[in-house]
């Protein structure tokens, strides 16, 4: 509430109960036609259809300290009804080759998506057109060495709230607003697996690598202590003064989002003590863009992890496992002052006996 003497807004204790019932109905269909072109290969055409209907009601009530909503009506200022329907059509050709333990698959799809619905009484309708792909290869050099590679793309459409260019004041000091110009994000992903196994000696080595790049990533744009220029058409005035929120959050398409992850593991028996030892080490890195006060901010996170596990192989009557896990993370933000880093290390040790 506004205090005329201090000319400031002072906090007032309020009890608010929120109920958020939701309904969802999903329907999908898939049709695939295949035609062999040789002994080991075939071509195909696939059509897939998905539709989702969703209704989410956020009903907030101003109550007493007992949070009893009997006989109360939702407050329209902090309540919201969201209804939306999303439909996606995907069609495209494919090719498959398989011989012995070697396989190659390639598919290309044209994808058409439509999203329409209401947030309260404001209507949104958007259409998205994309082309996606999927490629998989599995090569078995021999009984011990195998490589498998996945390369694919996929999209992520903004939801109905992200697209709604209206102000959400359900949290009075932290206002959010959608962006009707958002595009769907487009992701490229690579996964690589190499396995070398020696069944006779009980040894297994595995190396995994994955990477992801996102175009038009849907990121947050945060403005602290926003002005009238930052919030056009936003007028909430009480009789004693003008209300000013602490933070405005909107959404924008940004490039520069990427991540990678790699880890190696090796397992082998220790004959003298009749146990199996498994060791693993990994590294991960993510780069996430956002905006703070209209300036680009990059959050970079590096992570290192390791695991050592010793399991018994003495007899059917004795079974124990000793395991240690450790992880170190280091996160930085480009707009933070020097030295503002979030670094932490955690580890656990455990043991089981059966």
């Amino acid at each position: 509430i506004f205090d005329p003497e201090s000319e400031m807004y002072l906090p007032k204790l309020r009890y608010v109960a929120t109920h958020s019932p939701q309904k969802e109905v999903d329907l999908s269909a898939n049709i695939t036609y295949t035609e062999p072109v040789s002994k080991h290969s075939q071509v195909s055409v696939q059509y897939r259809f998905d539709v989702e209907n969703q209704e989410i009601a956020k009903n907030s009530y101003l109550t007493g300290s007992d949070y009893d909503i009997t006989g109360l009506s939702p407050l329209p200022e902090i309540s919201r009804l969201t209804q939306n329907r999303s439909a996606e059509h995907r069609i495209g050709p494919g090719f498959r080759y398989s011989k012995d333990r070697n396989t190659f698959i390639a598919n290309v799809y044209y994808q058409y998506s439509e999203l329409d619905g209401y947030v309260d009484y404001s209507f949104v309708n958007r259409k998205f057109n994309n082309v996606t792909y999927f490629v998989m290869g599995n090569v078995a050099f021999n009984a011990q060495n195998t490589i498998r590679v996945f390369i694919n793309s996929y999209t992520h459409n903004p939801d109905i709230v992200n697209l709604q260019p209206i102000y959400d004041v359900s949290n009075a000091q932290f206002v959010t607003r959608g962006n009707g110009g958002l595009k769907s994000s487009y992701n490229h992903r690579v996964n690589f697996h190499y396995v070398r196994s020696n069944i006779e000696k009980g040894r297994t080595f595995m190396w995994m690598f994955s990477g992801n790049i996102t175009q038009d990533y849907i990121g947050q744009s945060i403005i602290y202590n926003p002005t009238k220029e930052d919030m056009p058409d936003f007028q909430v005035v009480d009789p004693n003064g003008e209300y000013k929120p602490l933070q405005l959050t909107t959404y924008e398409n940004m490039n520069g989002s990427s991540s990678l992850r790699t880890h190696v593991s090796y397992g082998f028996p220790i004959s003298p003590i009749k146990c199996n030892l498994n060791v693993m080490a990994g590294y991960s890195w993510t780069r996430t863009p956002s905006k703070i006060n209209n300036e680009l901010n990059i959050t970079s996170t590096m992570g290192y992890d390791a695991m050592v596990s010793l399991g018994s192989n003495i007899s059917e009557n004795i079974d124990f496992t000793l395991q240690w896990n450790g992880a170190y993370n280091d996160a930085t933000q480009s707009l933070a002052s020097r030295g503002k880093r979030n670094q932490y290390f955690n580890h656990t040790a455990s043991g089981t006996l059966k």
Side-chain angles (χ1 to χ4, degrees):
I1 60 174
F2 186 77
D3 179 24
E5 294 184 4
S6 63
E7 297 184 349
M8 297 177 61
Y9 281 88
L10 301 178
K12 179 182 178 181
L13 180 63
R14 298 198 305 174
Y15 296 94
V16 178
T18 300
H19 291 212
S20 300
Q22 66 180 42
K23 302 176 183 178
E24 184 173 313
V25 178
D26 300 319
L27 176 66
S28 63
N30 184 72
I31 300 174
T32 303
Y33 173 78
T34 60
E35 182 70 26
V37 293
S38 71
K39 181 180 179 180
H40 302 290
S41 61
Q42 63 183 28
V43 294
S44 63
V45 175
Q46 183 184 70
Y47 169 73
R48 182 176 178 86
F49 170 71
D50 295 279
V51 63
E52 176 184 288
N53 288 278
Q54 188 178 61
E55 179 180 296
I56 303 174
K58 179 185 177 184
N59 299 319
S60 297
Y61 305 82
L62 188 61
T63 71
S65 59
D66 57 357
Y67 295 100
D68 184 10
I69 65 171
T70 303
L72 299 178
S73 298
L75 290 176
E77 296 87 353
I78 56 176
S79 299
R80 183 171 64 194
L81 175 63
T82 303
Q83 299 170 299
N84 69 83
R85 181 190 69 90
S86 61
E88 180 180 280
H89 303 265
R90 190 174 66 171
I91 187 170
F95 174 79
R96 177 186 178 92
Y97 173 85
S98 181
K99 183 179 180 181
D100 299 328
R101 297 174 59 198
N102 302 305
T103 303
F104 174 78
I105 300 173
N107 298 91
V108 178
Y109 302 102
Y110 166 69
Q111 182 176 289
Y112 171 78
S113 305
E114 184 173 2
L115 175 67
D116 58 64
Y118 292 87
V119 176
D120 292 331
Y121 298 102
S122 182
F123 181 70
V124 168
N125 178 261
R126 286 292 303 276
K127 299 176 176 63
F128 305 95
N129 294 274
N130 291 284
V131 175
T132 61
Y133 58 87
F134 173 85
V135 177
M136 190 277 282
N138 185 86
V139 180
F141 297 100
N142 49 48
Q144 296 182 340
N145 296 273
T146 302
I147 288 178
R148 178 173 293 182
V149 179
F150 294 88
I151 304 174
N152 71 297
S153 66
Y154 61 96
T155 62
H156 176 71
N157 296 332
D159 62 35
I160 198 77
V161 175
N162 294 150
L163 291 168
Q164 197 67 259
I166 59 176
Y167 294 99
D168 180 359
V169 294
S170 56
N171 188 329
Q173 295 298 320
F174 299 89
V175 178
T176 61
R177 185 178 189 268
N179 178 358
L182 286 176
K183 299 183 291 184
S184 58
S185 63
Y186 194 94
N187 300 267
H188 306 267
R189 182 169 57 186
V190 175
N191 285 281
F192 171 88
H193 297 264
Y194 169 69
V195 178
R196 177 179 174 84
S197 58
N198 188 321
I199 299 177
E200 294 179 357
K201 296 184 179 181
R203 298 175 181 176
T204 301
F205 171 81
M206 185 181 71
W207 174 37
M208 184 277 289
F209 171 86
S210 64
N212 188 89
I213 296 176
T214 303
Q215 298 172 272
D216 293 319
Y217 170 78
I218 301 174
Q220 289 190 338
S221 177
I222 299 174
I223 298 177
Y224 296 105
N225 301 312
T227 64
K228 291 182 179 180
E229 290 74 19
D230 300 317
M231 305 177 68
D233 304 322
F234 182 81
Q235 296 293 332
V236 180
V237 180
D238 67 17
N240 299 303
E242 185 176 352
Y243 156 73
K244 295 181 180 179
L246 297 177
Q247 178 179 306
L248 169 66
T249 301
T250 59
Y251 306 92
E252 293 185 25
N253 289 114
M254 307 175 191
N255 287 323
S257 174
S258 55
S259 65
L260 65 85
R261 163 75 174 157
T262 184
H263 82 254
V264 294
S265 64
Y266 183 53
F268 59 94
I270 303 177
S271 301
I273 59 174
K274 296 183 178 180
C275 292
N276 295 316
L277 181 66
N278 292 278
V279 294
M280 186 274 288
Y283 169 80
S284 62
W285 172 82
T286 60
R287 184 182 190 272
T288 306
S290 63
K291 282 189 177 180
I292 298 179
N293 292 333
N294 294 316
E295 291 188 58
L296 182 64
N297 179 60
I298 302 297
T299 301
S300 297
T301 304
M302 291 189 298
Y304 305 86
D305 58 277
M307 183 274 291
V308 179
S309 177
L310 181 68
S312 67
N313 190 26
I314 299 174
S315 71
E316 296 180 355
N317 300 320
I318 300 177
D319 183 16
F320 72 86
T321 302
L322 301 175
Q323 184 168 302
W324 175 86
N325 293 274
Y328 170 77
N329 287 273
D330 183 1
T332 60
Q333 298 193 49
S334 61
L335 291 182
S337 57
R338 183 171 297 178
K340 295 291 184 179
R341 303 174 67 179
N342 183 13
Q343 299 172 295
Y344 62 91
F345 172 76
N346 61 69
H347 64 107
T348 60
S350 61
T352 59
L353 176 63
K354 296 181 181 180

